[in-house]
Structure formats: C-alpha cells, structure tokens
Amino acid sequence: MTITEHRPEIIELTDEQQRREWQAFTLSDLPEMISAMHVCHAVRAIADTPLLERLRNGPRNPADGLLAGIDPDMGPGFLRYLVNRGILETRGEEFFLTRLGEFLTTDVSLARLGVYVDAYGMVTSRTGDLLTGKAVYGKDVIRDGGKLGAHCDTLFSAFHTPTLLTAMRGRKVERILDIGCGGGQLVVDACLRDPSLTGIGLDIDADAVAVANEHARTSGVADRVKFVVGDAFAPKTWPKECFEADGLCMMSALHEHFRHGEQAVIDLLNEISATFPELKILLVGEPEIRYDSRENDDDFFLIHVLTGQGLPRDRAAWFDVFEKSELTCRRMYTRPEAGPRLCFYDLAGKKRDQP
C-alpha cells in the first residue's frame, strides 16, 4: 500500500494596491536604512563584548569559547546575522572578521560610530519629542559627555595631534594649556610625542580631570602634565597653574559659546588675550560645518541642532569673528581626509601679528 504525501494547496494573493505599496517601500531605500541602523548597533555590540578581541585573536570556534559569557540562546543567531551582513565569514567551524568587518572595527571607525550611537544616540532617538517640546535638551535628554570625550580622544589622537604639534613648534611653545581638555588625551599624546613639551589641562568636570591625571600617570608623563578643574569660559577664574602656559589650545569647544551670541565669543577671545599678554599662540580647532552629506556632515549638523549648541561655522564666518576681536588669525591649518573635518586657527594679539 502506497501512502501518498498530502500537500496543501498554496495560493498567492496579490493585488494592485498591495503591489504599489510594497514597491514604494522597497524603492524608498528604507530597507537599506533599517539594515544600516541594525548594523551600527551590532558593530557596537561586537566592540562592547568580548567578541571583538576573540575574533581578532581567538578562540574563534563557539565550541572553544568564542561565545563564553554571551547568552547561549542569542549568541549563535547573532553570529549568523553577522555572516549574513558580510561582517564575519566561516572557515570550517571558526568565525573570522571579513575585510569589511576589519574596517568596521578599527579604532577610528568605532570612535566615529560611538559619537553618534553612544554619545548622541539617546538624543537622536528623541528627535520628535525635542522638536515638539515634549522633551528639553539638558533636562529630559542629554548626550553622554564621558563617551563623547573618550571617542573624541581617539579621533584627535589619530588625526589632529600632529597638527597641534606643528602649530606649537612653529611658535616655539614650551608649555601647552588645553582649555576644555576632557579626558586629557590631547595633552598627554602631545607630550608623549614631543618630550620637550609640558602641559596643563583645564576642564569643568572634576571626574574628567581625575581621569586625565590618572591617564598622565599611567602614560608616564605625570611629571610634565597636570590637569585642573576650571570653567573654560571664565579665564580670570582659572587656577594659577594655567598662567604658566605660553601656548593655548581650545578644541571643538568655542563654537558652543555661540549659544550666548557672537559677542560672547568675541568677549571671551578678548578676555583670553588680556589675561595672557605674552601668549605665543591660541590655537582654536573648530569643525567646519558644510551643508552636504559628505563624511556625515549632515549628521554632525543634526546633533548640534537637537542639542541647542552654537552651530559650527565655516572658515569665512570664523574669520569675521576673529577680525572683530583683539586677536588676529595668522595662519589656518587644515587636515583633509580626517574626521571630524576641523580648521585650526593660529591666533595671537594684534600687536604680535606676524606672517
């Protein structure tokens, strides 16, 4: 007796309205946007768990401990997802980062991603509430300043410390003051690269200053570098150690003072000039906003809009501000193919103006 397998009838239901709606969705780029959103979070998860270290150095086989400490019900599926997205590949029973996976998990890539996901993710996820007033930035929503500082430290070390050193050497600076130093990476990095330099860092966040001093100690430069608490926008209140510096730098901070108006920025520059009459250089590093979609310019613009910061400006607008102050801009440095795109303005009192 032969048993015939019973298979149900399959009926596909289609109509013109359904077809048009699905076509609109597929042509909208939303499928790719959704995937990009999830890939961003997945890459952060690789870095935030032991997976990245294991994928780089082993063990790479789940049976040998690749997924140790990872939820056993989620881990295998997460690896499968990463293979589907081209971030991982399998060789036998082992998992390896693809070239794409390697590029996504460089220090710079993770820092750039971290700025938007870790530091500002809680802000952008509330865009609708911020726009309608249901949430207020600084009260109901705030960026993660600690993570922002850590990621910016990585990016500055990779791209911008050499610019700082070039500018300071050109003005024969011996002691740097970093105004708004955060975790202190810039000063520590500069002094590690140039043993002739000493440095001071100033930040209003006491916890950040403590972290910076510990960083100087573990990096072996505590005898040449010190960090102190102070308000970057109130020079006359700074601790006395700050006035030992002959070269000042202020990175990605001055534009935030535009929230108080252009004159507030001019007044601050004038106060710094008056407080440091023998200043060799004030190096102002500022992102140059460009209204395009290159290198995440539009994303950079958006986070400044949502957080009520003074918007970054282009170089022409900065030149106008400097011209109205007691300082003169002697030189501007740029560093193409580095992020964020910054302009570095070499400023000094007008009486010290030189080519």
Side-chain angles (χ1 to χ4, degrees):
M1 179 177 179
T2 302
I3 299 177
T4 303
E5 181 181 357
H6 174 71
R7 295 183 179 180
E9 180 182 9
I10 299 174
I11 301 175
E12 292 187 353
L13 299 175
T14 60
D15 58 58
E16 182 63 16
Q17 179 65 24
Q18 166 201 329
R19 187 189 68 80
R20 291 177 65 85
E21 291 292 346
W22 187 249
Q23 185 181 61
F25 169 69
T26 56
L27 293 178
S28 69
D29 286 337
L30 269 171
E32 290 77 13
M33 292 165 65
I34 292 168
S35 292
M37 176 180 67
H38 288 146
V39 166
C40 285
H41 289 290
V43 170
R44 279 303 327 161
I46 296 172
D48 291 340
T49 65
L51 285 175
L52 182 55
E53 175 62 24
R54 293 170 186 168
L55 289 166
R56 287 173 173 171
N57 301 306
R60 297 186 177 93
N61 189 329
D64 296 331
L66 172 61
L67 293 176
I70 306 296
D71 186 294
D73 295 324
M74 296 183 186
F78 184 62
L79 293 179
R80 184 72 260 169
Y81 166 78
L82 295 174
V83 171
N84 291 346
R85 299 308 312 173
I87 297 170
L88 299 184
E89 62 184 0
T90 56
R91 303 174 198 170
E93 300 299 319
E94 294 186 319
F95 290 82
F96 293 81
L97 290 166
T98 61
R99 290 294 282 166
L100 171 62
E102 291 173 359
F103 295 154
L104 286 170
T105 55
T106 66
D107 289 345
V108 167
S109 292
L110 289 174
R112 290 277 292 182
L113 176 62
V115 167
Y116 295 101
V117 173
D118 294 341
Y120 284 99
M122 61 190 75
V123 176
T124 53
S125 67
R126 300 287 301 278
T127 297
D129 290 340
L130 290 167
L131 289 174
T132 58
K134 293 179 181 179
V136 177
Y137 181 76
K139 178 183 177 183
D140 308 300
V141 182
I142 193 167
R143 69 187 183 189
D144 190 319
K147 290 182 179 178
L148 177 62
H151 293 312
C152 287
D153 282 349
T154 298
L155 296 171
F156 267 79
S157 181
F159 294 127
H160 300 310
T161 301
T163 305
L164 171 71
L165 292 173
T166 297
M168 294 294 169
R169 289 191 192 111
R171 302 300 176 188
K172 299 180 180 179
V173 170
E174 298 177 356
R175 190 162 179 80
I176 300 172
L177 169 62
D178 184 7
I179 307 166
C181 64
Q185 179 65 39
L186 185 63
V187 174
V188 170
D189 201 23
C191 290
L192 282 171
R193 299 189 194 195
D194 186 345
S196 70
L197 282 175
T198 63
I200 309 167
L202 174 90
D203 201 275
I204 199 168
D205 188 329
D207 291 337
V209 168
V211 169
N213 277 315
E214 177 61 16
H215 183 35
R217 186 189 68 79
T218 57
S219 299
V221 293
D223 59 328
R224 294 190 287 128
V225 175
K226 182 179 181 180
F227 296 94
V228 295
V229 177
D231 184 347
F233 300 133
K236 292 179 181 178
T237 69
W238 293 348
K240 62 180 182 180
E241 295 95 331
C242 297
F243 303 107
E244 300 170 0
D246 57 348
L248 277 58
C249 64
M250 196 173 194
M251 299 296 155
S252 294
L254 189 56
H255 72 271
E256 296 195 18
H257 211 44
F258 279 117
R259 63 163 61 98
H260 303 298
E262 183 176 283
Q263 190 58 47
V265 175
I266 295 169
D267 291 343
L268 177 59
L269 292 171
N270 290 343
E271 188 174 354
I272 291 174
S273 178
T275 307
F276 291 83
E278 302 303 321
L279 182 66
K280 294 178 180 176
I281 180 175
L282 167 60
L283 186 69
V284 173
E286 281 294 336
E288 182 173 32
I289 194 66
R290 301 179 186 182
Y291 298 99
D292 57 38
S293 59
R294 289 179 51 209
E295 301 170 14
N296 301 114
D297 276 343
D298 43 4
D299 302 298
F300 192 71
F301 175 71
L302 175 64
I303 60 177
H304 283 80
V305 170
L306 296 178
T307 55
Q309 302 177 59
L311 289 172
R313 302 183 170 201
D314 63 23
R315 64 191 66 177
W318 277 110
F319 292 151
D320 288 342
V321 169
F322 300 144
E323 189 65 30
K324 295 173 184 176
S325 77
E326 297 301 319
L327 296 169
T328 187
C329 184
R330 300 176 291 189
R331 183 175 293 169
M332 187 192 80
Y333 298 90
T334 63
R335 194 170 179 84
E337 298 184 349
R341 285 185 279 178
L342 297 189
C343 294
F344 295 84
Y345 304 97
D346 173 342
L347 307 177
K350 287 186 167 65
K351 68 179 182 179
R352 295 181 296 279
D353 191 14
Q354 53 183 296

